[in-house]
Structure formats: C-alpha cells, structure tokens
Amino acid sequence: MDFRILGPVSAEVDGRSVPLDGSKQRTALAALLLAHGKVVTDERLTCLLWGWDPPATSTNQLYTYVSRLRTRLGLRYGLERHGASYRLDTGGAGLDWDTFRELADAGRTELVAGRYSDAERLFTRALGLWRGPALTHVTEHLAEAEGPRMEEARLSALENHAEAALALGRHTDAVPSLTRLVALHPARERMRGQLMTALFRCGRLPDTLAVYEEGRRILAEDLGIEPGPALRTLHHEMLNGTLAPPAAPERERAAAAAQPRPDTPLPSLKTPALSPVRHPRALPDQPQNGSWGWCGLAPAMLPAAPGDFTGRSAETDDVLTALRESKDVVVTGAPGTGKSTLALWAAEHCRDEFPQGQLYADLRTTDGSGPRAPSEVLGWFLRALGTSRDQLPHTLDERVQLYRTLLTGRRMLVLLDNARDDAQVRPLLPGGGVSRTVITGVRSQLASLEGTRLITLGPMDRAEAGRLLTAVAGSSRLAGEPETVERIAELCDRLPLALRIAAARLAAHPHWSAGGLAERLAPDDRRLDELRIGSLDVRVGLSAVRDQLDPATARAFRVLAVDGPSRLTACAAAELLDTGVDEAEEVLERLADARLVEALGIEGDVGPRYHLRPLVRLFAQEPSA
C-alpha cells in the first residue's frame, strides 16, 4: 500500500487506486496519516471535517466515514478505536510525505558537506514526489491546519535544490525556474538572491540589479522593511565584482556523478525515476530544463486509465485525430457509456504530444450533488502550475486571466470530466495557443463550445460488450458460453459501466457461474441492485442527471416510464401526460438532452421517436425516483 498526500489524497495497492468517497473521507485518512500512528481524538477529527460548527449528526457521520475507510483499506492496516479516538497503523506502508522529508533531510546533509551533486540528486527525487498542492481534495479546515508547514517544506527544498545547482555552475539552467519562483514568492529573500546570482553569472548585470530593486520596493511597500543583510551583501558583491564563483563547477560535478561516493547512501524508499521534460523551442520565460511546474516538474494530474479498457477504437481514433488537428474534443453520452474512461484512455495515448503537462478536474462535486464552481477548479490548476496559496487571485475573472497567461505558449492537455454545461466549462478553457482540452459530460449544450469535435457514445456493440465482460471477469469464467455472455450484455443494456460491474461481481464470486449471474440480473425488481459493487453503481449517474431536471420534467419522466411503452412518439406522450403534442415533444426533448431517453429520429408522418432503455426505465419506475 502506498499513501499519498503530496497532491490529491489517495491510496494505491500494486499501482491500483483504492476508491475513496470524497473530501470528508480523504480528510479523515490524511489526518490519521499525519498523526504517524498516534491517536487522533474525535474532537480533532470533527474539527478538521466541519470546523467549529459541526452538524448535530457529526458523531454518527464521523463513525460512518471511518467505518467505510476501514473497509476500503482492508484488514491489513489497523484502523482502530481507542476510547474517544482513532489510530491508524499503516503497517510499514509508504507515505510520500515521510519519503519527501527523509530525502530532503539527506539532501541538506549533503549540501552542508559540499557534496553538491548528491544533494541536487536527492532534492530532485524529493520534489518529484509532489503531484500538485499538498492535501488536495480535503476540507479547507485540514488544508489550513497542515498545508502551510508542508508548503514551507517544499519551498525550502526548492531553495536548497537551487543552491546545489548554482554551486555546480548550472546558473543558465536555473534562471527560468528561479524567475518563476520569485514571481510567485516575491518576499522570499533567499530565492531572490539565488536568481540574482544566476543572472549575474550569466553576464546579465542590469537584470540582476533590476531584480534587487524590485525586491527592495516590494519589501518596503508591503512590509515596511529593507532587504536583509544577506541580500544587501550579495548586492554589494555584485556591484563590486567580488561575487565568488561556483563552488563546484560543471566538470567537477560530472566527475562526481561518474564516481558516486560510497559514504552517501540513498534512503531505501520508493520514489519515482525522474525524466525532466526538455522543450526544444521553449519561450523566453520557460525553463530550458523543464523545471517550471509546481515542484520543478510539469503537472501530471490525470488519473490512470483503466488497464482493461476494451473497444471504442473508432471513437478513440476520433479523439486523437481531433487533438492532432488542434481541435478540442467533447465526449458526450448517456450515464454509464464510458465517457470518462474513453477520455482518460485517449489522454494516456497522447501524453508525449503534450510534454508540458496535463491538468485534470472532475467538475462534479464529490457527493454528486451538483456542479463544481469554476473558481475552485481554477484554484487547483493555478496551484498545480506553481501559484502559491497566498498568491491566488480572489475573483473568477482574475483567476481566468492568470490561468490563460500561465498556459501561453505551453503545450498542455486539459481534461474536464463530468461537465454540466458550457457555462461551467468556458472559464476553464486555456484560450488561444497550443494547449488542447477534452471535455466529458451528458448534456448536449456542450456542443455549443466553439472549435470542438463532438463525439457521442451510445451502447457498445455486441462484440465489444462481450470482450469487455471477458476482459474484466477473465476468459476462463466465460469460455464456451457465448449465448450467456450475450444475455448478460443485453441485461446490462450493453453499457460499459453496467458491463464492468457485472463482470467485476462475477470475478469477485468465484463460485458463481455465468448463467447464475444472468439469472440474478434477469428479474426487473432486482437488476439495479445487482449492478453495483464498491463505488460503482449504475444508479449514481442516473440520479445525478435526474436530479438536475426541473420538477415538472422529473414527474413526466416517471409517468412515461411507468405507464408508457419503451418507444414513444410525441402524440403517445401527450396522451400519457394529458397535455398538448407540442408540450409533450418539448418534455421528450428535455429528457433526450439529459440522455434519459434516446432520440431515434423521424419516421414517416409520426414525427420523432424516442426510446427508454430498460435500465433507465427500471430506474425511473423506482419509488425513490
């Protein structure tokens, strides 16, 4: 198990994500991880989840969050109750925050000892663990309590990394990243001094003096103080030409790298191998060594694409072709058609074409109750692009302007998942330039976004559906039963989500036969209950769309599902709804826009025909609907 809090809070087992249910559950997990095996009181957890004004049901809700978290993590990791407290025993699992601190501490030791090559390597590994702002997707209460010290540790590591690079004579490479960091953190004098040093050694004395004067002005206007003695001394040395040269020039660093010191063991920790992206045609304000993002690396926010992705080859080709033709893409379709999965799969297969990073946001709130505010999403993106929390603009317009400025000239892929409508998406578009956007959502209004290629997903064809079932359940479970496989697929409406759930249930129950699964799915009154496992549930997507309907349309949806046939015309719907034909057609069009009915086109004189798919029909007939 690997726990990660340097970015979105998550847990992984053998490279597979452990499903977590939202900000409250992620907050509880992060708080317990940060306690490092010590107990965390109910009062502390409640404060981190809800602040100082918790709901009356907070005790029961806290118990529910922890209970579900215990189920998600499994028995191997002891999440135990101790009086009015909880304690998490990670059993030796990795935590990226602990790994970062060990590497950063080791780097400081090498830096003090003058072993700059080893120090630079350690700080590079440490900073490579950051995947965005620490504690992303937790409550603001935990972020405010723990985020500042973690951010300070990151900035300190960036400064130490720059110090090692300057000692090695890498001032030319350091200028772009230090320029960016100083712009984001103008009051950090050490960072400003490092930029001055890099510029001076590049022979850019006027720029060096301008950086000093800018810092002096900012300190005077904002804080009412003068630069500290270290920065003033550095300024004086540059004016007199007495600044010391690099401590370990490039040739010495190369020799040290060729013969690593035996007395410099690296921590035995799981950290990623880093391959900084190099941009052959970087703009003047872009670092030539790829170190321009949140922690010196390009943002990489995309979730992993499913390894068992099956089918949709034509649609995938359409997405990739559109991106290569410099078009944005909208992937739309009914709930459960696999829009997000297709988008992630396509994004994974064009990573190399967007070498300066990928941004990702789920535009639906974690509890599915509504759309996420564009301002909040822009806050995530700006933080991932290197903007500190205290430098985030307050208004939406200011955030949009800064976001588009930071993306200017950079080739990045932005994936906006589960968009509600075009109004939510427009502030999140990069604007002109070489970055591209992929948007997924249900509503047809997304087609109004200019310059986009619309790709609409429906049910899978029979062959694709069979392959998906086999890929998830295992070929041995379905071998020699093509008719049963087809029956299961039809009971799932050949929807990727339903197919995946059915196959996962079969895989999770080795004693079930394929025919037994089909029999469990057959009764109308239990099919939707069968189509859920873990965090996957066919009802969830349908509920999210239905809850966006106005009350009159929602009532009509239930009437049509309960009393009408599976295929409808406006005339038939008018009789059922006791309304005029035009009004009934408008209702059907609103339901078609929400992908709750399928528009089949015009046939003869009867006008458009509409189809309620079986799973949607069963959902609408439920009393809760």
Side-chain angles (χ1 to χ4, degrees), residues 80-162:
E80 303 169 348
R81 183 74 171 162
H82 290 273
S85 306
Y86 289 98
R87 174 181 176 274
L88 176 63
D89 180 3
T90 60
L95 176 61
D96 57 359
W97 170 236
D98 291 342
T99 305
F100 167 79
R101 290 190 298 166
E102 290 188 44
L103 288 166
D105 287 345
R108 280 193 297 271
T109 299
E110 298 304 297
L111 191 62
V112 171
R115 295 189 284 269
Y116 302 110
S117 180
D118 291 331
E120 183 192 36
R121 181 158 48 94
L122 286 162
F123 285 120
T124 298
R125 290 180 63 191
L127 292 165
L129 295 169
W130 289 74
R131 299 167 295 118
L135 301 174
T136 300
H137 300 160
V138 302
T139 65
E140 60 180 347
H141 313 294
L142 177 60
E144 291 172 356
E146 299 288 351
R149 71 182 179 104
M150 301 175 77
E151 170 68 357
E152 178 58 34
R154 183 186 73 89
L155 292 174
S156 179
L158 282 166
E159 290 172 337
N160 288 332
H161 180 270

Side-chain angles (χ1 to χ4, degrees), residues 302 309 311-332 337-351 353-354 411 413-416 436-441 451-457:
L302 289 178
F309 181 84
R312 303 294 198 196
S313 57
E315 293 88 346
T316 302
D317 289 342
D318 287 344
V319 174
L320 295 175
T321 298
L323 293 175
R324 288 163 185 157
E325 293 176 350
S326 298
K327 290 183 178 292
D328 294 334
V329 178
V330 172
V331 182
T332 186
T337 49
K339 301 177 291 296
S340 301
T341 302
L342 171 66
L344 288 172
W345 181 257
E348 181 67 33
H349 283 71
C350 64
R351 277 181 183 267
E353 298 174 44
F354 297 93
R411 188 166 181 80
L413 182 65
V414 182
L415 202 166
L416 305 174
R436 297 271 66 85
T437 309
V438 177
I439 303 132
T440 75
T452 59
R453 176 76 56 81
L454 181 66
I455 296 171
T456 303
L457 301 184

Side-chain angles (χ1 to χ4, degrees), residues 369-387:
S369 61
R372 199 178 292 279
S375 182
E376 180 184 11
V377 177
L378 285 170
W380 298 347
F381 287 177
L382 291 173
R383 294 277 284 140
L385 291 167
T387 307

Side-chain angles (χ1 to χ4, degrees), residues 212-228:
Y212 176 79
E213 287 302 319
E214 178 193 43
R216 187 188 62 77
R217 178 184 56 79
I218 289 173
L219 291 172
E221 293 179 358
D222 294 352
L223 302 176
I225 61 174
E226 288 294 315

